[in-house]
């Protein structure tokens, strides 16, 4: 399990956007960056800076996964047939922690990583505790029986701040989800605009 070193809402502040669409985000109150010079950092961003920001935003959205893991995912995306940017999004959305988050079994993507890591999730009846595990279309993801009544799980399923996307079928009564298909960029309900094409440009420089 990779350790998240930064306070998660600093990612929001640095990007100047509420990237998870959460009501608690400090961006809702302060749109400028963190630190004593945050309000003055308004200079023109270079092409490199724009690409870097797009990469940081996408990487941060998925629980601030490590650079090593993110580069590995990018390399896999460019080896696949079709649009590399779309492939990158598809691979990220197939992460088990992302599916658990999308299914509203937990309130945040950070909680999803910890939830999977602690063994609360089964895939096709088998316990999987690797957050980066790659889910396939048709896979059934369920919360372990003894974990279904955890307060976090019950509260998350009732959150009104986001909906379950149509590429995941969920029964919150049984806490079971089915991953139906690999989504494209337009299918993913990001609260802010993601630019995976700029991420591809960043790494292919």
């Amino acid at each position: 399990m990779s350790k998240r070193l930064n306070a998660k809402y600093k990612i929001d502040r640095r990007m100047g956007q509420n990237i998870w669409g959460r009501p608690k985000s400090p961006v809702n109150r302060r749109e400028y960056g963190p630190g004593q010079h945050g309000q003055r950092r308004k200079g023109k961003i270079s092409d490199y800076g724009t690409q870097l920001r797009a990469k940081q935003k996408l990487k941060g959205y998925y629980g601030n996964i490590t650079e090593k893991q993110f580069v590995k995912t990018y390399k896999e995306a460019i080896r696949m047939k079709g649009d590399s940017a779309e492939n990158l999004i598809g691979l990220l959305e197939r992460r088990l922690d992302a599916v658990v988050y999308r299914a509203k079994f937990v309130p945040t993507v950070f909680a999803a990583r910890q939830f999977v890591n602690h063994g609360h999730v089964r895939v096709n009846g088998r316990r999987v505790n690797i957050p980066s595990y790659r889910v396939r279309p048709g896979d059934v993801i369920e919360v372990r029986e003894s974990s279904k009544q955890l307060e976090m799980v019950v509260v998350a399923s009732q959150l009104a701040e986001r909906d379950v996307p149509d590429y995941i079928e969920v029964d919150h009564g049984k806490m079971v989800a089915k991953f139906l298909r690999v989504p494209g960029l337009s299918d993913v309900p990001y609260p802010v605009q993601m630019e995976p094409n700029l991420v591809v440009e960043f790494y292919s420089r």
Side-chain angles (χ1 to χ4, degrees):
M1 177 181 178
S2 63
K3 185 179 178 183
R4 175 174 52 79
L5 298 173
N6 303 324
K8 60 179 176 288
Y9 284 130
K10 275 190 179 177
I11 302 169
D12 268 9
R13 294 281 307 281
R14 195 170 67 231
M15 295 299 118
Q17 292 178 296
N18 183 357
I19 66 172
W20 296 287
R22 302 220 71 204
K24 286 184 180 177
S25 174
V27 175
N28 296 341
R29 299 188 303 275
R30 300 186 296 269
E31 291 187 354
Y32 50 86
Q36 67 184 97
H37 304 297
Q39 295 184 61
R40 290 188 292 180
R41 288 191 204 131
K42 291 288 183 183
K44 188 174 182 294
I45 302 177
S46 65
D47 287 347
Y48 173 82
T50 303
Q51 293 163 357
L52 176 63
R53 182 169 286 240
K55 189 263 289 190
Q56 288 174 327
K57 185 164 61 171
L58 190 62
K59 188 160 77 95
Y61 180 86
Y62 288 94
N64 212 14
I65 56 182
T66 65
E67 181 67 14
K68 186 177 178 181
Q69 264 192 326
F70 199 69
V71 170
K72 186 179 176 183
T73 306
Y74 158 75
K75 287 180 177 176
E76 193 170 343
I78 60 172
R79 283 197 302 267
M80 294 166 66
K81 289 181 181 177
D83 187 290
S84 297
E86 292 281 342
N87 293 341
L88 179 61
I89 295 299
L91 289 171
L92 289 169
E93 283 294 306
R94 284 176 57 197
R95 286 176 59 96
L96 180 57
D97 55 359
V99 175
V100 167
Y101 171 65
R102 292 277 179 237
K104 290 174 71 173
F105 290 158
V106 291
T108 70
V109 72
F110 297 99
R113 183 184 297 176
Q114 191 174 44
F115 196 68
V116 172
N117 201 257
H118 288 182
H120 296 293
V121 178
R122 293 181 182 275
V123 179
N124 300 328
R126 187 169 59 91
R127 193 180 85 151
V128 178
N129 62 358
I130 302 167
S132 61
Y133 175 87
R134 198 73 53 71
V135 175
R136 292 190 176 97
D139 280 357
V140 175
I141 299 93
E142 61 183 319
V143 176
R144 200 176 63 182
E145 193 63 41
S146 59
S147 308
K148 290 180 181 178
Q149 297 308 313
L150 289 173
E151 184 184 0
M152 175 177 68
V153 176
V154 175
V155 170
S157 65
Q158 298 168 357
L159 284 175
E161 64 191 50
R162 59 192 172 90
D163 297 318
V164 177
D166 63 6
Y167 51 89
I168 298 174
E169 188 178 83
V170 182
D171 182 340
H172 282 125
K174 296 178 180 178
M175 288 296 169
V176 175
K178 186 175 183 180
F179 189 72
L180 303 176
R181 60 184 174 82
V182 179
L185 176 60
S186 60
D187 301 315
V188 183
Y190 292 119
V192 297
Q193 184 183 4
M194 292 295 180
E195 299 160 305
N197 56 310
L198 294 181
V199 179
V200 173
E201 287 175 17
F202 175 83
Y203 283 120
S204 61
R205 293 173 72 89

